[in-house]
Amino acid sequence: EAGMTLEEMDAVGVTYGPGLVGALLVGVAEAKAIAYAAKKPLVGVHHIEGHVSANFIEHPELEPPFMCLIVSGGHTHLVVVKDYGEFEILGRTRDDAAGEAFDKVARTLGLGYPGGPAISKAAHSGDPKAYKLPVPHVEGPYNVSFSGLKTVLNAVNQAEMKGETVNVADMAASFEHRIDEILAEKLLAAAQDTGASAIALAGGVAANSLLRCLVNEGAQKLGAKLHLPEMQFCGDNGAMVAAQGFYELT
């Protein structure tokens, strides 16, 4: 497909944070140079807001206010999108982000990176009820905690010390089901409590098929409309930055 030329662009959007400072500085410097050369406005985009805006690419009819769960390797936030660029945080992780927990457990089980897709793949042939994993308790009705799920790491280490083997598929399925169940429960509880008529997912973990399924089932029971970003727009991508940049510009 033919790409868009600089002349056809209205502005140049770039992520300014949060993230790794070195990578962000390189991106911002390049975007500044392009914007200057093309004589176009430069629009700075917040990374998390970009993830939320990935929903607008496929669902332009989605308008604030709506409830959104943002879940990625670095972030787990439950927010009310009150307007374009205006967020009210209802809950967040008190320790590990959901994607970070997936990565840690995948590494312990000898699976690949990123952990989310690797665990999902292994979980296909596993029993989600094989291992009883805890539901970490945390203050606040919509907050989550995933450091307590390091029970998985302990179980694997103890098994190795005893010369036993852990069923990787069963542990992957049990862990995926537990973490997705917690995320879906918090999102749906917040949607019900606030009377939200629209719900959305955002971030890399939004590509998790089990999470999408659990949230979809709950949304139908609530009578709320669910919006899901396309799989290709769940992880970090330029399209979501452009989408948020559009709303920042207008």
Side-chain angles (χ1 to χ4, degrees):
E1 291 181 16
M4 182 179 286
T5 65
L6 284 174
E7 290 73 22
E8 293 173 307
M9 294 181 188
D10 296 312
V12 177
V14 63
T15 300
Y16 65 79
L20 297 173
V21 175
L24 291 169
L25 288 175
V26 170
V28 170
E30 179 69 14
K32 278 184 177 179
I34 292 172
Y36 178 78
K39 296 182 174 59
K40 303 288 184 179
L42 180 68
V43 183
V45 171
H46 190 282
H47 184 76
I48 298 178
E49 293 183 13
H51 274 303
V52 174
S53 291
N55 282 284
F56 299 132
I57 299 170
E58 182 71 7
H59 308 287
E61 77 283 0
L62 175 62
E63 296 179 348
F66 60 90
M67 186 74 60
C68 187
L69 176 66
I70 307 155
V71 272
S72 67
H75 309 283
T76 301
H77 287 73
L78 180 55
V79 304
V80 176
V81 181
K82 302 179 89 170
D83 202 347
Y84 298 104
E86 185 183 347
F87 297 74
E88 178 187 354
I89 299 175
L90 296 185
R92 65 177 77 194
T93 179
R94 307 313 296 177
D95 37 63
D96 291 355
E100 183 182 0
F102 271 115
D103 290 340
K104 287 180 180 178
V105 171
R107 186 165 59 245
T108 301
L109 294 176
L111 302 172
Y113 179 88
I119 285 179
S120 288
K121 185 177 180 181
H124 280 313
S125 57
D127 177 6
K129 296 180 180 178
Y131 291 95
K132 305 300 180 188
L133 301 179
V135 178
H137 295 288
V138 61
E139 290 184 10
Y142 310 123
N143 290 329
V144 293
S145 168
F146 296 122
S147 64
L149 286 172
K150 287 173 184 167
T151 305
V152 173
L153 315 188
N154 297 334
V156 173
N157 291 333
Q158 288 174 9
E160 288 178 349
M161 289 172 64
K162 295 176 182 177
E164 300 171 354
T165 57
V166 168
N167 186 306
V168 173
D170 284 351
M171 183 62 85
S174 299
F175 176 76
E176 180 183 44
H177 196 272
R178 170 61 73 229
I179 203 167
D180 285 349
E181 207 171 38
I182 292 170
L183 290 169
E185 184 180 290
K186 296 291 183 178
L187 171 59
L188 295 166
Q192 183 172 29
D193 293 346
T194 60
S197 59
I199 301 173
L201 292 178
V205 182
N208 183 280
S209 57
L210 176 61
L211 178 61
R212 292 165 86 101
C213 181
L214 291 173
V215 173
N216 183 49
E217 289 175 359
Q220 287 184 0
K221 290 178 183 176
L222 291 177
K225 174 72 174 174
L226 176 62
H227 296 83
L228 298 169
E230 277 190 52
M231 292 291 194
Q232 62 177 326
F233 297 134
C234 289
D236 296 348
N237 64 88
M240 74 182 197
V241 176
Q244 178 59 25
F246 170 80
Y247 291 104
E248 295 281 348
L249 193 65
T250 54

